[in-house]
Amino acid sequence: MDHSHDPDRPLPSTEAAVRAVRAVAERHGHSVSVEHAIGADESSRRSAAGAFAVTDEDGSMPHEAWLEIPATEGPLTPHITVQVFEEGDAHITLDGITFHDVPREQAPAFLETVFDGRARVKMTWWPPYCRLIVALPGDRTYKEVVPMAHGGLSRWMNAIAK
């Protein structure tokens, strides 16, 4: 059975996104730990929820999830965390570099790109600059600056640097 996810097909819920991300990681032989935050009092984006409020004002119950995929040595992969939000976006962090506001539909393809070895680091010597680039199939590319002052490149980023 093919568990791949079409990035143009919406993932209707946080749980659907968790299942899709977990399927990609497990297909590549990676373990995944998941923590769920359910209810307005648990959600990181609902800090103004009133005391004992578990639902939003419209009666819905927000659901967020935090997934962690440990780094591996062979093949070398980064430490990955994925935070999936009720609003339909995700934050994906690769060895401490966070890609904000990735649509949750893109999260499985994003991880597929990383696990397939298609992510890269682009460095320039003058001006000194370093970017982590994850190019998804199609025309979607995510880029984040890698701050060299705070530890520089991880082993995984060194391995993919060009």
Side-chain angles (χ1 to χ4, degrees):
M1 177 195 283
D2 182 20
H3 293 285
S4 60
H5 173 74
D6 176 4
D8 295 324
R9 195 178 81 227
L11 291 170
S13 66
T14 299
E15 188 58 37
V18 167
R19 282 194 306 270
V21 166
R22 179 175 271 176
V24 168
E26 290 175 350
R27 188 170 55 254
H28 287 275
H30 300 282
S31 63
V32 181
S33 62
V34 181
E35 292 181 27
H36 294 273
I38 300 173
D41 57 337
E42 296 291 322
S43 174
S44 65
R45 290 188 174 169
R46 306 297 198 289
S47 60
F52 310 110
V54 293
T55 61
D56 281 343
E57 291 180 10
D58 65 357
S60 64
M61 187 166 300
H63 177 195
E64 293 178 6
W66 189 77
L67 296 89
E68 183 174 17
I69 305 167
T72 60
E73 291 297 319
L76 187 61
T77 61
H79 176 260
I80 301 169
T81 60
V82 180
Q83 188 172 10
V84 181
F85 297 100
E86 175 71 21
E87 293 82 8
D89 64 318
H91 293 177
I92 302 175
T93 304
L94 308 173
D95 280 350
I97 306 301
T98 301
F99 292 81
H100 297 275
D101 303 323
V102 175
R104 71 177 167 209
E105 287 79 15
Q106 298 288 320
F110 189 103
L111 293 181
E112 196 76 54
T113 298
V114 171
F115 293 141
D116 284 347
R118 292 180 281 139
R120 63 188 171 94
V121 170
K122 182 178 181 184
M123 298 175 69
T124 60
W125 295 106
W126 190 257
Y129 197 70
C130 186
R131 271 201 169 160
L132 178 55
I133 301 168
V134 180
L136 278 52
D139 293 335
R140 189 69 124 183
T141 300
Y142 295 95
K143 301 175 184 180
E144 286 296 329
V145 173
V146 178
M148 299 303 285
H150 300 289
L153 299 178
S154 67
R155 286 188 56 218
W156 173 72
M157 285 187 250
N158 260 325
I160 63 170
K162 296 187 185 228

